[in-house]
Structure formats: structure tokens, C-alpha cells
């Protein structure tokens, strides 16, 4: 087996963009490993439009967006292996892979990019009481069944959770002739993008009930209906609020979890806020030479951001391989130059630490807000000093936000802590 | 002023909240809240002739591996034509190979736009 300088795990948009970028920066000895039988990752089942407006300046569907990158990969003759599962990753970057051609084999590249994406929170994690009939799917499973396997999951549908996949599936199944009765959301806000509520629910008069959850599922072999109940702010069911709704299908759209079994095996330190690796501004994790990007790092709502992040990770992985850059800062996780942290109203920031030796002119700090804010301001503090304040018309938890820090400001202040917080605005 | 309508621009994921002022005859007097020029275009369409891109899948005749292939309309079609477009999509069966961008139904349902494949299968 040829040895590779750079191995990328996962052939979704993150892995594809990373491979193309690394190649274009002169790295030719790259392997992209994908466990599925085709490249493209989750995009293959996202047949709706809304991808690539930023990156390609035109609105594409998921498969078309993936198709453009697959074409770029093929043009460059970058090595990739399909139906190849990465089974193990050691802290010294030794990978154990398996496929039908080579069986179990190992590689020891100079750098690894984690691009394994995320998976859906399963029903088990939800603890939904009641019978266990068939007809309960995660929204993503239903999406795959319908869009790839051509199989209609059901006719009368109740959707639990207002995540984007659930919203997209509400429209999709309605157009295919199903009756989507309602979407129940336990929170008082939607985790999905506003545009998806408009074009997937409002367009079809599908009601969305907040502070509502499924308290029981009824049915012997197949789902026959669900009981909906109101829930309080601690997500506890409020007694005596139960109403019955008949349906043959329940879709769960209750969130995504970064897929980090391999990262844990490699002793990559994780952030509880994102459930992905802690990274610095080079997208390097706590393990030297292991980088991460895309949904494995934090759940993205926009594929354009995934591609951009992957290109950054690839650029830095190449620098790491060629120059052995930033060896000095491998202590970062314990005693980082600078920690980036979430303040009031912010659920996470990414990167979580900064490496001052590797600053670009602008450092992008991604973050998400905890609830819907209107007319609030994004504040950035270097230690105790306010550095910037920007008023925003609307910020929703469903849409990732970003602030950009200037190199000269960071060099001048050399803060130990950077805090991003939200301050609610005055009524005007 | 006769009417004020609040809309969410769906032209990109930012989802700006637009406010549209209309006079008694439904003419647009003012549009606010957009962050880019696509907002007013969306708002104008939305109050006069709302349109959506339709995406779906069509059946494949000659493959067991790929029972369906994904499709979309190139441009948005009037909302009241969506179900007509969907009926045509449901009736359509195609043979592989299919390539991204292949026109499967030209001028679908007289909307002036084509239905194309969004995935390539050998
Ligand atoms: C339903 C849905 C709707 C969306 N809608 C939009 C939208 O309208 N517009 C938009 O811009 N964005 C949208 N997004 C977001 C965007 O598509 C995702 O954020 C993006 O696809 C994530 O890319 P990724 O490469 O990180 O992960 P993925 O696409 O999940 O790719 C990860 C790949 O890694 C592989 N893999 C995992 N583990 C291993 C292993 N051990 N060995 C080998 N391979 C492995 C997987 O098989 C997979 O192919 C949507 C996402 C979802 C889920
Ligand atoms: S107005 Fe422009 S920026 Fe705002 S949602 Fe529409 S397209 Fe996006």
C-alpha cells in the first residue's frame, strides 16, 4: 500500500473541499476515504435547492453541489476509496481502514483531516414512551428512503422537532401526496431556518406548535396515532393537556450529533458545547496533525460554510505537513495562547482557542445564539475590554453567526480571553 | 396606506424580514428590511405572482440500484402550478444513463422552465 501524506476521512462536502484545496496547494499525495458507495455525503439525499448561493453564486440542489466538487476531484485525479471504512485512528495518526479490496489495512500519514459529518439523534436518546410500532423514522432516514431508495415512508405524518430536515421533509412528503398534519416543537422557537418554515410549512398550511411534544405513541404493528402534550420550559409534559392525533408515520427531527467515535479514539479533546473537537484558528485539534472541519466539528446549516471551513483546514494541514508548522503550540489545549469563550446569549464559539503564531489578517469566530434576538448587539471583549459591538436586526439559533477579528488588534492586545456575547437592544 | 405585509425573504438562508407597503390597488409603495437587491425582487414576486423551485425524484425504468433520480425545475414556477408540475413528475419514467443538467421535460406545465436531472447515474 502506497503511503499518503494526507488522509481525509469522509467524502462529504467537507472532505471533498479539503481534498481539492490541499491538491491545489501542491499536496499530491492525498487519500480520501469514504465508507459509502459514492461521494457527496449527506448532500446526496438533500435533493432540495438552497445550496451554493454563496460559493457558486447560484442556487443548487445538494447532489448538484456535491457533483461540482466530485468533478473537481476527478479532474485532479485525487485518490479516493469508496466503501472504505476508517475503523480506528490512533493519537500518532495511524489509521486502520477496511474495504473489500484490501481487507483490513493501515496507513500512517503526516496529517489527517476529520470530515466524518454528523448523525441524527435517534429515538432512543429521546426517551419517548408508548408502544414501539413501525412507522417511526428519523427525518434523515425518511429522506434517504424517499429520495434515494424511492420508497414513500407513510401517508399521514406527524413530525416531532422543527429542525431543518423535518421541515424539508414536511414539504417533500406533502408534494408526494402525504398529509402532514403538524410539526410539534418542544422549545418556544424553531431550530430550523426561517426560510424553511416559510417555504416548507406556511406554503402548505402545515401548523407548527411550540412548547409541544409527543407524550405517547399508539399502535400495535404500525403507528396509529400519537398523543401530543404541552411542555413547560424544563421540557416536562404538563398533565391533562393531552390530545390525540391519528397518523401512520412519525418523523423525528430533533437534532444532529457530530460523529466523533474516531476522534475520541485518537484522544482528541472534545467541547461539550459543540460535541465536536476543540480546535484552534488553524482547525487543528489537540492532537498534532489532526485537523477537523464540517459537521464533525460543529453542525452547520450552510454547506457553503462547510466548504470554506474545509479549505481553511486543508490549507493548514498542508502547512503542517510541509513546514511542520506550529509544533511549538501543541500544548495549546492545556495552556493556550488565548481562549475564545461564549458569553451571555451565546451557546458556543468556534474555534475555542487561538494560536497567535498562525494568525491570518482576519480570524473568523463562528458562534450560535441561544434564542431569537431582535435588535440585539454582538459584543466582543478582549479580556475585560469591549473591542467591538455590532447591532443585528435578527439572530436566530438556527443560523450560524460570525465575527471577524483583525490580526493587528489581536497582536496589539494579545488577550488571554476573548468573549463573544449578546446584549439585548433598547426598543426604538 | 392600504396594507402592510410582512414577508420573510427566502432567496437565501439569511431570511431577511421584509416589510412591503401596498396601496389600495395592490401596487407596491415601499419595500424595507432587505440586505441585498434580491429581497425586493422576491417581495415583488411574492405579492404579485409567488413562485417556487420544485424539487423531487422521478422513477428509473432500467436500474435496480438506482430506483429514482433527483430532479428540479431550472427556475421557480408559479405556486399555483406546483401540483400540476408534480403530477407530470410522478408520471415520468426515465432510462439511465442520466446526467446532471439533462432536460427531462422541456417547458414543464407551460411554465417556461424545464425539468432537469440533478444527479448523474451511469
Ligand atoms: C437534511 C439537511 C438539509 C440541509 N439543507 C441545507 C441547505 O438547504 N442549504 C445548505 O447550504 N446546507 C444545508 N444543509 C447543511 C449541509 O448540507 C451540511 O452541513 C453538510 O453537508 C455537511 O458536510 P460534511 O462533509 O461535514 O458531512 P457529510 O455530508 O455528512 O459527510 C460525511 C461523510 O463521511 C463519511 N464517513 C463518516 N464516518 C466515516 C468513517 N469512519 N470512514 C469513512 N467514511 C466515513 C460519511 O459516510 C459521509 O459521506 C443541510 C443538511 C441536512 C442534514
Ligand atoms: S434580502 Fe438578500 S440577504 Fe436578505 S434573505 Fe433575501 S437574498 Fe438573503
Amino acid at each position: 500500500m502506497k503511503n499518503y501524506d494526507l488522509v481525509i476521512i469522509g467524502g462529504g462536502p467537507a472532505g471533498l473541499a479539503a481534498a481539492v484545496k490541499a491538491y491545489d496547494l501542491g499536496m499530491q499525495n492525498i487519500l480520501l476515504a469514504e465508507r459509502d458507495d459514492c461521494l457527496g455525503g449527506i448532500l446526496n439525499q438533500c435533493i432540495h435547492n438552497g445550496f451554493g448561493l454563496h460559493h457558486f453564486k447560484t442556487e443548487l440542489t445538494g447532489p448538484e453541489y456535491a457533483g461540482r466538487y466530485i468533478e473537481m476531484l476527478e479532474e485532479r485525479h485525487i485518490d479516493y476509496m469508496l466503501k472504505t471504512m476508517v475503523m480506528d485512528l490512533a493519537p500518532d495518526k495511524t489509521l486502520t481502514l477496511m474495504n473489500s479490496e484490501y481487507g483490513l489495512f493501515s496507513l500512517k500519514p503526516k496529517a489527517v483531516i476529520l470530515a466524518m459529518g454528523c448523525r441524527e439523534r435517534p429515538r432512543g436518546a429521546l426517551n419517548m414512551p408508548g408502544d414501539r410500532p413501525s412507522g417511526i423514522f428519523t427525518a434523515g432516514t425518511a429522506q434517504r428512503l424517499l429520495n434515494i431508495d424511492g420508497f414513500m415512508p407513510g401517508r399521514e405524518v406527524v413530525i416531532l422537532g422543527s429542525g431543518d430536515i423535518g421541515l424539508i421533509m414536511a414539504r417533500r412528503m406533502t408534494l408526494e401526496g402525504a398529509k402532514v398534519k403538524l410539526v410539534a416543537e418542544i422549545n418556544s422557537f424553531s431550530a430550523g431556518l426561517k426560510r424553511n418554515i416559510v417555504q416548507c410549512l406556511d406554503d402548505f398550511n402545515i401548523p407548527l406548535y411550540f412548547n409541544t411534544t409527543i407524550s405517547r405513541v399508539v399502535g400495535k404493528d404500525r403507528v396509529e396515532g400519537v398523543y401530543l402534550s404541552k411542555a413547560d420550559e424544563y421540557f416536562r409534559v404538563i398533565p391533562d393537556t393531552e390530545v390525540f392525533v391519528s397518523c401512520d408515520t412519525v418523523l423525528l427531527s430533533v437534532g444532529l450529533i457530530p460523529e466523533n467515535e474516531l476522534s475520541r479514539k485518537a484522544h482528541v479533546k472534545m467541547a461539550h458545547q459543540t460535541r465536536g473537537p476543540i480546535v484552534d484558528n488553524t482547525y487543528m485539534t489537540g492532537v498534532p496533525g489532526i485537523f477537523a472541519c464540517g459537521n464533525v466539528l460543529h453542525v452547520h446549516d450552510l454547506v457553503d460554510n462547510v466548504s470554506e471551513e474545509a479549505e481553511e483546514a486543508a490549507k493548514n494541514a498542508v502547512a503542517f505537513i510541509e513546514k511542520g508548522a506550529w509544533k511549538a503550540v501543541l500544548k495549546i489545549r492545556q495552556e493556550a495562547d488565548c481562549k475564545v469563550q461564549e458569553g451571555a446569549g451565546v451557546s458556543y464559539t468556534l474555534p475555542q482557542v487561538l494560536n497567535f503564531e498562525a494568525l491570518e489578517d482576519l480570524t473568523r469566530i463562528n458562534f450560535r445564539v441561544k434564542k431569537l434576538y431582535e435588535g440585539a448587539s454582538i459584543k466582543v471583549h478582549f479580556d475585560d475590554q469591549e473591542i467591538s459591538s455590532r447591532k443585528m436586526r435578527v439572530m436566530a439559533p438556527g443560523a450560524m453567526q460570525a465575527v471577524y477579528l483583525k490580526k493587528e488588534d489581536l497582536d496589539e492586545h494579545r488577550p488571554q480571553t476573548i468573549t463573544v456575547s449578546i446584549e439585548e437592544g433598547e426598543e426604538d | 396606506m392600504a396594507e402592510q405585509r410582512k414577508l420573510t425573504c427566502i432567496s437565501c438562508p439569511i431570511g431577511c424580514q421584509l416589510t412591503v407597503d401596498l396601496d389600495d390597488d395592490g401596487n407596491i409603495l415601499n419595500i424595507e428590511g432587505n440586505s441585498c437587491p434580491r429581497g425586493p425582487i422576491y417581495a415583488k414576486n411574492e405579492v404579485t405572482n409567488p413562485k417556487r423551485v420544485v424539487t423531487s425524484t422521478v422513477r428509473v425504468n432500467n436500474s435496480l440500484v438506482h430506483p429514482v433520480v433527483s430532479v428540479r425545475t431550472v427556475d421557480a414556477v408559479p405556486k399555483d402550478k406546483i401540483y400540476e408540475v408534480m403530477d407530470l413528475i410522478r408520471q415520468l419514467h426515465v432510462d439511465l444513463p442520466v446526467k446532471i443538467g439533462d432536460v427531462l421535460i422541456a417547458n414543464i406545465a407551460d411554465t417556461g422552465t424545464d425539468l432537469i436531472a440533478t444527479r448523474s447515474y451511469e
Side-chain angles (χ1 to χ4, degrees):
Chain A
M1 171 73 45
K2 173 174 166 187
N3 216 341
Y4 290 94
D5 289 333
L6 175 62
V7 174
I8 299 166
I9 310 173
L16 289 166
V20 168
K21 182 73 182 182
Y23 183 93
D24 288 350
L25 291 171
M27 181 69 28
Q28 285 177 3
N29 205 7
I30 309 171
L31 175 70
L32 179 66
E34 167 57 52
R35 67 177 170 199
D36 214 342
D37 60 6
C38 60
L39 295 170
I42 193 91
L43 290 182
N44 288 319
Q45 68 184 64
C46 297
I47 65 162
H48 57 281
N49 58 312
F51 299 81
L53 209 69
H54 189 72
H55 212 72
F56 292 117
K57 307 285 174 245
T58 168
E59 201 171 358
L60 302 169
T61 62
E64 289 172 295
Y65 190 96
R68 293 208 177 186
Y69 270 99
I70 295 169
E71 216 169 87
M72 291 187 238
L73 192 85
E74 306 268 10
E75 278 166 13
R76 288 164 178 75
H77 304 288
I78 297 171
D79 284 357
Y80 64 89
M81 291 183 186
L82 299 177
K83 297 190 213 166
T84 302
M85 174 91 181
V86 179
M87 315 285 293
D88 191 32
L89 174 61
D92 70 352
K93 302 189 289 283
T94 303
L95 293 132
T96 310
L97 303 94
M98 192 171 72
N99 64 21
S100 55
E101 198 180 337
Y102 303 106
L104 209 58
F105 62 105
S106 62
L107 292 172
K108 191 165 188 253
K110 293 178 183 147
V112 172
I113 298 180
L114 307 173
M116 291 93 76
C118 59
R119 63 188 152 76
E120 284 175 295
R121 226 164 261 204
R123 180 192 177 184
L126 284 171
N127 222 348
M128 199 159 60
D131 302 326
R132 300 262 149 164
S134 67
I136 304 175
F137 305 91
T138 62
T141 304
Q143 189 180 46
R144 192 179 173 93
L145 282 173
L146 188 52
N147 294 347
I148 307 270
D149 304 330
F151 171 82
M152 181 75 164
R155 290 279 147 206
E156 280 202 314
V157 189
V158 166
I159 299 178
L160 178 64
S162 59
D164 285 317
I165 318 179
L167 301 177
I168 297 283
M169 283 308 289
R171 172 178 62 184
R172 179 80 178 105
M173 290 189 73
T174 304
L175 285 177
E176 285 297 326
K179 171 78 192 151
V180 177
K181 294 202 156 171
L182 59 96
V183 177
E185 168 60 59
I186 197 161
N187 281 298
S188 55
F189 57 85
S190 169
L193 293 174
K194 183 79 205 259
R195 75 190 302 236
N196 285 336
I197 292 177
V198 171
Q199 59 183 350
C200 300
L201 300 186
D202 298 354
D203 270 7
F204 301 98
N205 301 315
I206 299 168
L208 166 58
Y209 297 109
F210 291 112
N211 305 109
T212 304
T213 190
I214 293 178
S215 45
R216 266 188 296 156
V217 178
V218 184
K220 280 204 181 64
D221 302 321
R222 178 83 193 191
V223 173
E224 287 159 21
V226 295
Y227 282 95
L228 297 176
S229 290
K230 285 281 157 200
D232 66 18
E233 58 187 309
Y234 303 106
F235 301 159
R236 290 176 307 210
V237 165
I238 301 174
D240 304 322
T241 56
E242 239 179 22
V243 285
F244 180 76
V245 179
S246 70
C247 62
D248 62 17
T249 304
V250 177
L251 298 190
L252 306 174
S253 179
V254 290
L256 300 160
I257 312 176
E259 181 134 296
N260 275 297
E261 282 72 21
L262 282 176
S263 322
R264 285 195 193 86
K265 285 181 179 169
H267 300 220
V268 164
K269 203 164 163 198
M270 310 292 282
H272 64 88
Q273 296 93 330
T274 53
R275 308 184 76 161
I278 293 175
V279 291
D280 64 17
N281 42 321
T282 69
Y283 293 95
M284 188 157 82
T285 69
V287 180
I290 299 186
F291 295 77
C293 56
N295 277 356
V296 76
L297 187 55
H298 58 144
V299 176
H300 292 252
D301 38 86
L302 259 192
V303 72
D304 308 67
N305 289 333
V306 170
S307 302
E308 207 178 295
E309 185 172 285
E311 289 180 358
E312 280 301 308
K315 193 176 81 188
N316 290 306
V318 170
F320 180 88
I321 292 167
E322 287 179 346
K323 304 191 205 112
W326 317 305
K327 285 226 173 86
V329 269
L330 299 179
K331 53 179 175 30
I332 54 176
R333 290 336 103 139
Q334 288 79 37
E335 33 186 308
D337 291 351
C338 169
K339 290 198 169 66
V340 186
Q341 63 184 26
E342 58 279 352
V346 173
S347 56
Y348 75 81
T349 59
L350 191 134
Q352 295 91 345
V353 295
L354 293 190
N355 171 354
F356 286 140
E357 283 178 52
L359 288 179
E360 306 268 337
D361 289 344
L362 285 176
T363 300
R364 177 184 171 131
I365 308 288
N366 299 292
F367 68 95
R368 274 182 200 272
V369 293
K370 283 188 178 156
K371 60 174 189 114
L372 186 72
Y373 286 102
E374 285 182 49
S377 301
I378 306 171
K379 303 260 176 194
V380 178
H381 281 80
F382 284 1
D383 299 319
D384 293 334
Q385 187 186 351
E386 182 177 312
I387 284 296
S388 69
S389 172
R390 183 159 51 111
K391 193 166 169 144
M392 301 291 289
R393 218 152 22 207
V394 202
M395 285 182 285
M400 198 165 74
Q401 310 286 336
V403 287
Y404 292 85
L405 307 179
K406 287 199 197 106
K407 183 175 188 304
E408 63 239 39
D409 289 344
L410 288 166
D411 280 338
E412 188 190 321
H413 294 270
R414 289 282 159 142
Q416 289 184 318
T417 312
I418 296 172
T419 312
V420 182
S421 58
I422 305 301
E423 193 176 281
E424 299 212 49
E426 329 261 272
E427 293 295 316
D428 47 20
Chain B
M1 189 197 328
E3 198 195 343
Q4 191 173 64
R5 282 179 64 181
K6 301 239 182 240
L7 300 171
T8 301
C9 178
I10 61 168
S11 308
C12 93
I14 293 172
C16 294
Q17 300 294 309
L18 309 178
T19 308
V20 186
D21 296 332
L22 301 169
D23 70 11
D24 286 323
D25 303 321
N27 298 312
I28 295 172
L29 301 172
N30 189 33
I31 300 172
E32 268 174 25
N34 56 294
S35 309
C36 86
R38 293 167 57 103
I41 298 172
Y42 171 79
K44 228 169 272 169
N45 272 327
E46 200 60 13
V47 293
T48 52
N49 179 18
K51 291 178 173 181
R52 299 288 184 266
V53 170
V54 177
T55 62
S56 184
T57 51
V58 301
R59 294 268 147 206
V60 170
N61 289 319
N62 57 343
S63 170
L64 292 173
V65 193
H66 304 300
V68 292
V69 60
S70 54
V71 297
R72 72 163 161 121
T73 57
V74 174
D75 292 317
V77 302
K79 249 168 126 175
D80 55 16
K81 286 258 190 175
I82 289 179
Y83 281 99
E84 203 179 319
V85 167
M86 279 304 298
D87 279 338
L88 293 169
I89 290 175
R90 254 194 297 273
Q91 287 160 28
L92 181 68
H93 287 63
V94 298
D95 287 319
L96 300 188
V98 165
K99 278 198 20 227
I100 289 183
D102 282 359
V103 175
L104 303 178
I105 301 178
N107 186 20
I108 188 165
D110 256 334
T111 54
T113 191
D114 300 340
L115 186 78
I116 58 166
T118 56
R119 186 148 186 201
S120 303
Y121 284 134
E122 297 283 305

